[in-house]
Amino acid sequence: MNIIWHKKSRQYHLYNDKISYIMGVTPVGELGGIYFGKKVHDKEDFSYVEYRGGLPNIVVDPDTESYSRELNRQEYPSFGTTDFGASAYEMEQSNGSCVSSFTYKSHSIFKGKTPLKGLPATYAEENEAMTLEVTLEDDVARMSLILSYTIFDKYPVVVRHAVFRNDGAETVKLTKVMSTCLDLPDQNYRWMQFSGAWARERIPQEKDLSSGSVMIESKRGISSANQNPFIIIKRPNTDEFTGEAFGFSLVYSGNFIAQAECDTYRRTRILMGINPERFAWPLDKGEEFETPEVVMAVTDSGLNDLSQTYHSLFNNHLVRGKWKNKPRPILINNWEATFMDFTEERILHIAEKAKEAGIELFVLDDGWFGERNDDYAGLGDWVENPDKLPQGIRGLARKMNAMGLKFGFWIEPEMVNPDSNLFRRHPDWALQTPGRKASLGRHQLVLDYSREEVVDYIYSMLKKVLTDAPISYIKWDMNRSLTEVYSAELPPEKQGMVYHKYIMGVYSLYERLRTEFPEILFESCSSGGNRFDAGMLYYAPQAWCSDNTDAIDRIRIQYGTSYGYPISSIGAHVSACPNQQTGRDVSISTRANVAFFGAFGYELDLNHITDEEFEEVKRQIEFMKENRELLQFGKFYRLRSPFEADQAAWIVVSEDGKKAVFGLYCMRSNVNMLPGFLRLAGLKEDAVYMLKGEEYYGDELMNLGVPVGKLSSDGLAVGRDFVSYVEVLEAK
Ligand code: GLA
């Protein structure tokens, strides 16, 4: 790994064993893009990529005679001069001018990576990464722009973000600030996004890029289940195992855009960052604005390789604290078993049975606080309801511990019900626009986390509940989108700051709680998977993936989620059947066979299943305890897509390839078909593995494939709806 500055050509080359990122100072003094992809030899000068020929109808930049921004790759293009593509930023001076040009002034190259201020970010030790910070200045607006690039030693990854600083006396307003801009030299790409809604999150969708823009966004104040802040740009022939692809993951949990723009010269520009809609950030003298970062990854070996990069990078350089790379406790959550209608006795009854099954952690969901007996009341009042918990959270936690279970509980700290003591006391603490009616979502309003006093207040309430109670886990929920966004505290010219300040408030509360209570495992949640993003993983190493716990739907949801996020982060539970969301009946074995590939748990009352099923649950828990490290942190490969076939399959392989667990699922039976073969991946070619009492070489399993007919005793194999197989392979 190195970052080279070629003084003569004024170009930078960031490289490691796998990739190169090259850019340099353009003839107008700004930064221009040269290359991002597989590693290439270093060279003093790559300026042959610059185009100086001139074309009809082109506007040429001043003082250059033949250089036009429009015809050349830009690193962080501005609006209003000779680049007519989508801009990376827009800013307005106090005289109303929106034209700017940031030119090279200096740079620094250092080992490691510095943290962002109040924002989630990847991190690295000095020997694990190198960072380049290029300082550019606009002398007219008296503004500095620092573009930051980190290259990791072991990953085909470059992480980027930008910082604006006002060095002058007059206020400058930022109205668009992307985290990255990447100009690619052609447009022969397919765009992949991960879209959905409540209960059907992160479903991959693809389209060809062609002239014009493709854009996804969130304007909900959360990253959202509708569009995930992660995209892939790949060659048309790229598949799971071969071909070139780029990934872009925004380490941010609020409003965002991701855009690909193909121009008239058949080139592609990728942009990603905070959604400019309703974003306006005035910078006074000496003030700075720092964007969130984007993790840009590249592969020439297909989408599994790209995903594995994100899995490993996020596990090792984004997740922090006690739970970093640590197998997750097997939990039981009472939500689907009781909803809000419970007593301590009922909870302990569920817990006893869970303990008997081998479960390690009990999670008390919604309904334990305030007047919270349905979803009309109580949010904001984080004090135990004595009718349900006579000795409070502390009393219940101690009883759980005495039983041999760890204990955790649910909170939704960003919300307030109009029917709550908090709202009655502080109605102005909710986001509401003067003179307008406030829209309710699940009968609740959103607290104004752009205000420090609101965050402080919620922190002190939660601290009270957490102090002296043996709490091991928190499920942090967030159940509605932001609307009528306006902060009672800010002056009119600062209202465009509220969305971003809101999420900064959320991050600050997370940071305070995890610093104060470092033992706690946080699981983020937002009506299931409404805020499943890299930003959240910095604070909460796992996320409730979806409220849809139907195993068959979950195959699709977890499969889609795996493109951008590690298996250790995917909260996955076995719930009761018929399933509460879909009404579908699936065996308890298939329910677990899907949930094994995630942060595993149960979401039902084990007193209500048959003895036979209970025995099976015990075996499942044993299996998970034995294999969870591999399942959650091994190399994960998607093998068969549930979006393309009636079957789905995946495999997780240990670092040395000697141990693997694969899952094969029949989503819909296919009458009168041969069982076929499932080609595995990641194994050692020469190693011999045992499968169903027979020996196979790794290369056989990966090339001829597993004879699917051998998996079941009746030979029907995946021939019936919702049948599944999970098998462990171990090299002899
Ligand atoms: C959301 C979550 C659920 C559950 C409920 C509680 O819907 O996604 O898992 O916690 O809230 O109200």
Side-chain angles (χ1 to χ4, degrees):
M1 157 187 68
N2 204 357
I3 297 178
I4 296 181
W5 163 240
H6 291 293
K7 215 168 168 186
K8 223 163 115 211
S9 61
R10 302 214 291 175
Q11 289 171 3
Y12 300 98
H13 188 173
L14 297 75
Y15 64 83
N16 61 23
D17 291 345
K18 296 173 176 166
I19 58 160
S20 287
Y21 191 100
I22 308 170
M23 56 164 176
V25 180
T26 67
V28 289
E30 298 171 355
L31 271 195
I34 293 176
Y35 174 75
F36 180 38
K38 199 174 172 159
K39 188 188 174 186
V40 295
H41 283 96
D42 186 46
K43 213 169 167 179
E44 167 63 36
D45 193 350
F46 290 93
S47 47
Y48 57 84
V49 300
E50 197 177 290
Y51 185 79
R52 291 278 202 140
L55 283 174
N57 209 24
I58 287 304
V59 190
V60 171
D61 287 292
D63 307 326
T64 66
E65 284 174 17
S66 57
Y67 178 86
S68 171
R69 291 179 180 91
E70 185 180 3
L71 302 181
N72 286 286
R73 290 177 229 172
Q74 304 298 315
E75 276 298 293
Y76 204 71
S78 63
F79 171 83
T81 62
T82 62
D83 183 293
F84 299 94
S87 59
Y89 72 96
E90 281 170 37
M91 62 182 212
E92 197 182 309
Q93 288 175 240
S94 55
N95 67 1
S97 155
C98 291
V99 172
S100 63
S101 172
F102 282 96
T103 54
Y104 173 80
K105 283 292 160 335
S106 63
H107 68 253
S108 71
I109 294 171
F110 54 90
K111 288 181 176 167
K113 182 174 188 293
T114 43
L116 276 66
K117 293 185 200 87
L119 280 164
T122 54
Y123 57 87
E125 298 292 332
E126 289 205 340
N127 60 342
E128 294 172 328
M130 284 180 80
T131 299
L132 162 69
E133 283 177 2
V134 187
T135 300
L136 307 131
E137 281 173 19
D138 182 310
D139 300 331
V140 179
R142 305 277 319 276
M143 290 280 290
S144 294
L145 165 65
I146 298 133
L147 294 180
S148 161
Y149 301 79
T150 296
I151 182 154
F152 282 80
D153 185 26
K154 298 258 169 347
Y155 296 89
V157 159
V158 170
V159 178
R160 281 189 61 177
H161 82 285
V163 178
F164 286 86
R165 190 180 61 231
N166 187 345
D167 304 321
E170 288 179 18
T171 304
V172 172
K173 190 163 72 186
L174 300 171
T175 53
K176 181 180 186 185
V177 281
M178 291 296 100
S179 297
T180 195
C181 170
L182 183 73
D183 280 352
L184 297 166
D186 67 82
Q187 70 167 48
N188 190 25
Y189 291 107
R190 278 173 78 73
W191 158 283
M192 238 178 134
Q193 66 190 51
F194 300 86
S195 311
W198 176 79
R200 48 180 171 84
E201 294 92 342
R202 289 171 297 288
I203 304 305
Q205 292 183 18
E206 286 187 34
K207 56 191 114 182
D208 284 332
L209 291 181
S210 62
S211 179
S213 261
V214 174
M215 192 180 91
I216 55 162
E217 65 177 339
S218 168
K219 293 186 277 197
R220 295 167 178 271
I222 44 177
S223 48
S224 89
N226 308 70
Q227 304 293 357
N228 193 268
F230 171 62
I231 56 158
I232 294 173
I233 304 294
K234 58 174 190 163
R235 293 295 181 189
N237 60 356
T238 295
D239 60 23
E240 290 289 4
F241 292 97
T242 59
E244 195 186 356
F246 298 92
F248 300 83
S249 181
L250 184 63
V251 188
Y252 189 62
S253 314
N255 288 347
F256 75 93
I257 63 165
Q259 184 179 2
E261 184 187 55
C262 292
D263 70 7
T264 215
Y265 305 108
R266 300 205 184 94
R267 299 170 307 174
T268 305
R269 170 169 290 172
I270 311 293
L271 290 164
M272 196 178 222
I274 293 176
N275 197 331
E277 195 146 338
R278 201 53 194 143
F279 172 86
W281 199 278
L283 280 184
D284 289 335
K285 186 178 181 206
E287 287 182 346
E288 278 187 6
F289 183 85
E290 189 168 36
T291 73
E293 63 180 34
V294 167
V295 178
M296 310 194 301
V298 59
T299 181
D300 65 346
S301 340
L303 300 183
N304 273 318
D305 186 61
L306 190 75
S307 298
Q308 287 160 7
T309 295
Y310 281 104
H311 296 179
S312 176
L313 186 86
F314 288 173
N315 278 330
N316 291 291
H317 297 279
L318 183 61
V319 169
R320 299 172 294 164
K322 179 180 167 186
W323 292 97
K324 175 175 173 175
N325 283 324
K326 198 154 173 215
R328 304 296 153 74
I330 298 172
L331 66 80
I332 188 155
N333 176 306
N334 70 304
W335 177 244
E336 290 198 16
T338 65
F339 296 105
M340 294 181 209
D341 182 17
F342 58 81
T343 56
E344 189 184 80
E345 203 186 345
R346 172 87 202 274
I347 293 298
L348 288 171
H349 184 57
I350 299 175
E352 267 158 29
K353 195 72 178 169
K355 174 65 194 164
E356 191 189 330
I359 285 172
E360 298 160 319
L361 165 73
F362 191 97
V363 178
L364 181 65
D365 212 280
D366 195 356
W368 57 267
F369 52 90
E371 296 293 317
R372 186 79 170 163
N373 297 311
D374 53 37
D375 51 24
Y376 284 84
L379 288 173
D381 299 338
W382 300 106
V383 245
E384 296 95 325
N385 175 345
D387 295 339
K388 291 183 184 169
L389 304 182
Q391 283 118 32
I393 283 283
R394 189 184 307 168
L396 179 58
R398 290 195 176 147
K399 284 180 193 163
M400 291 280 179
N401 286 183
M403 218 187 261
L405 283 170
K406 302 254 181 227
F407 180 72
F409 60 93
W410 179 97
I411 55 174
E412 196 182 357
E414 297 155 68
M415 297 292 154
V416 66
N417 284 115
D419 184 2
S420 67
N421 293 334
L422 179 63
F423 188 75
R424 282 185 280 274
R425 240 180 293 135
H426 296 288
D428 64 318
W429 280 13
L431 291 169
Q432 296 189 70
T433 298
R436 311 271 165 201
K437 284 192 178 149
S439 310
L440 291 171
R442 209 188 180 197
H443 323 293
Q444 64 201 48
L445 296 168
V446 184
L447 285 172
D448 182 358
Y449 265 45
S450 75
R451 293 171 72 163
E452 250 178 67
E453 63 190 309
V454 176
V455 177
D456 286 350
Y457 177 84
I458 297 292
Y459 170 71
S460 60
M461 284 202 103
L462 291 174
K463 194 178 161 187
K464 243 186 234 153
V465 187
L466 289 165
T467 303
D468 296 333
I471 303 303
S472 306
Y473 165 105
I474 291 284
K475 176 177 174 186
W476 177 320
D477 210 340
M478 196 289 182
N479 281 317
R480 60 157 293 179
S481 304
L482 278 56
T483 57
E484 293 87 31
V485 168
Y486 185 96
S487 174
E489 200 190 42
L490 289 172
E493 67 278 10
K494 295 203 166 167
Q495 291 297 330
M497 301 166 86
V498 181
Y499 276 110
H500 182 61
K501 272 169 96 48
Y502 173 86
I503 201 70
M504 295 297 278
V506 173
Y507 290 149
S508 77
L509 182 60
Y510 254 118
E511 193 59 28
R512 285 168 81 175
L513 287 172
R514 63 173 298 287
T515 311
E516 181 82 26
F517 305 100
E519 301 290 307
I520 291 181
L521 169 62
F522 284 90
E523 175 154 351
S524 74
C525 174
S526 180
S527 302
N530 245 308
R531 201 159 63 178
F532 204 122
D533 56 62
M536 277 290 126
L537 291 183
Y538 188 63
Y539 307 95
Q542 60 192 58
W544 183 226
C545 183
S546 176
D547 277 350
N548 187 344
T549 52
D550 174 277
I552 302 308
D553 281 4
R554 266 304 186 106
I555 295 170
R556 294 196 189 91
I557 297 169
Q558 291 174 212
Y559 201 93
T561 305
S562 78
Y563 281 91
Y565 303 97
I567 304 310
S568 57
S569 71
I570 300 178
H573 300 171
V574 173
S575 65
C577 269
N579 182 269
Q580 277 174 6
Q581 288 76 29
T582 63
R584 198 176 278 141
D585 256 311
V586 176
S587 72
I588 198 143
S589 125
T590 288
R591 279 176 266 162
N593 281 348
V594 177
F596 285 147
F597 294 81
F600 182 73
Y602 290 82
E603 186 126 354
L604 75 173
D605 187 344
L606 294 173
N607 294 294
H608 295 169
I609 59 175
T610 64
D611 291 348
E612 218 172 75
E613 284 176 328
F614 187 68
E615 287 311 307
E616 180 149 1
V617 165
K618 282 189 188 159
R619 286 196 295 276
Q620 292 169 351
I621 291 168
E622 236 167 74
F623 172 83
M624 193 61 195
K625 284 180 181 166
E626 223 165 87
N627 294 293
R628 63 181 143 183
E629 181 144 17
L630 171 60
L631 285 161
Q632 291 169 348
F633 297 97
K635 247 188 187 180
F636 179 86
Y637 294 84
R638 290 173 297 273
L639 298 173
R640 200 169 272 183
S641 169
F643 303 104
E644 286 162 16
D646 295 331
Q647 293 173 6
W650 48 42
I651 188 169
V652 185
V653 189
S654 64
E655 206 49 56
D656 63 6
K658 287 186 176 162
K659 191 167 176 192
V661 184
F662 73 85
L664 172 64
Y665 309 88
C666 178
M667 321 198 34
R668 202 173 163 278
S669 69
N670 242 325
V671 179
N672 192 19
M673 277 296 290
L674 290 169
F677 300 86
L678 173 68
R679 289 171 67 164
L680 303 184
L683 303 176
K684 276 174 83 78
E685 291 182 349
D686 302 331
V688 175
Y689 299 84
M690 291 297 292
L691 178 64
K692 294 276 172 204
E694 283 181 42
E695 290 185 352
Y696 300 87
Y697 280 107
D699 57 8
E700 277 182 271
L701 293 172
M702 293 191 290
N703 293 296
L704 280 80
V706 171
V708 170
K710 294 256 181 196
L711 290 178
S712 88
S713 47
D714 62 11
L716 271 171
V718 284
R720 282 191 239 106
D721 282 2
F722 318 146
V723 168
S724 64
Y725 302 93
V726 165
E727 297 287 343
V728 181
L729 295 170
E730 236 166 318
K732 280 189 16 178

